[in-house]
Amino acid sequence: MKNISKNITYNEATRSNTATRKGIYNNPTPGQLKAMVNVAKKVFQPAREHFNLPILITSFFRSIRLNGLIGGSRTSQHCLGEAMDIKATKGFTNKELFFYIKNNLDFDQLIWEFGDEKNPDWIHVSYKLNHPNRKQVKRAIKSNGRVYYPPFESK
């Protein structure tokens, strides 16, 4: 199978320990694959080239069945191939990666996932294939056992 981008293999983009453990088919349709190539081209590769360091993908494509099993949103852009969860590696921080994307790239949603005021635990970023991108910047916060997504406010 061909790579999604210069620095993302197909296996890396569809890998899921839960899918493997549960025997779930987690391969995209041609349309979902096109969306995956697009988000990689528009967001991942420019960030990868800017930092010139690896970026860890913790979640990319999720089949609807897999997404339901892990408790993902029913409207998750991961199921469309339009979203990825990423983390910085040695040499830069998640915060630096978040602000690089926020200030330099087009995107649909950019979410500071949990963590604290200094650094998110990871970053969710999406890019729509066939619709205008909304440039929504949010923060994931857990409160009383629920997750909320208020607008991101830089302090």
Side-chain angles (χ1 to χ4, degrees):
M1 186 60 58
K2 85 174 198 140
N3 285 353
I4 302 299
S5 74
K6 178 180 173 187
N7 297 103
I8 304 173
T9 67
Y10 180 86
N11 288 340
E12 182 179 23
T14 59
R15 177 190 68 232
S16 165
N17 291 338
T18 301
T20 300
R21 215 173 34 256
K22 301 280 188 179
I24 296 170
Y25 181 81
N26 193 51
N27 291 307
T29 64
Q32 292 162 329
L33 183 59
K34 186 176 179 181
M36 293 168 72
V37 169
N38 191 57
V39 70
K41 176 183 175 184
K42 301 291 187 174
V43 181
F44 182 89
Q45 279 306 137
R48 171 69 172 81
E49 289 163 18
H50 170 77
F51 290 102
N52 197 28
L53 292 165
I55 296 172
L56 178 66
I57 298 169
T58 59
S59 182
F60 198 163
F61 177 74
R62 296 182 201 149
S63 67
I64 291 171
R65 184 166 175 223
L66 172 62
N67 192 62
L69 270 176
I70 64 167
S73 165
R74 287 188 303 264
T75 60
S76 175
Q77 287 179 282
H78 288 278
C79 298
L80 302 173
E82 294 179 341
M84 55 176 34
D85 295 338
I86 56 178
K87 291 176 89 168
T89 56
K90 230 177 191 175
F92 66 116
T93 66
N94 288 338
K95 178 180 181 176
E96 290 170 315
L97 179 57
F98 180 91
F99 279 105
Y100 176 76
I101 294 168
K102 180 180 179 290
N103 296 328
N104 297 285
L105 302 176
D106 192 21
F107 56 87
D108 186 53
Q109 286 188 322
L110 180 66
I111 304 174
W112 180 291
E113 296 276 2
F114 309 105
D116 56 29
E117 296 299 316
K118 294 179 183 171
N119 208 37
D121 289 339
W122 73 90
I123 298 155
H124 169 94
V125 63
S126 65
Y127 192 99
K128 288 185 177 254
L129 179 60
N130 295 315
H131 302 284
N133 285 300
R134 299 171 287 177
K135 293 284 270 198
Q136 291 182 342
V137 183
K138 299 180 177 188
R139 180 185 302 264
I141 299 171
K142 195 169 204 168
S143 178
N144 298 322
R146 296 194 62 196
V147 178
Y148 298 92
Y149 296 93
F152 178 82
E153 294 177 16
S154 197
K155 299 197 180 185

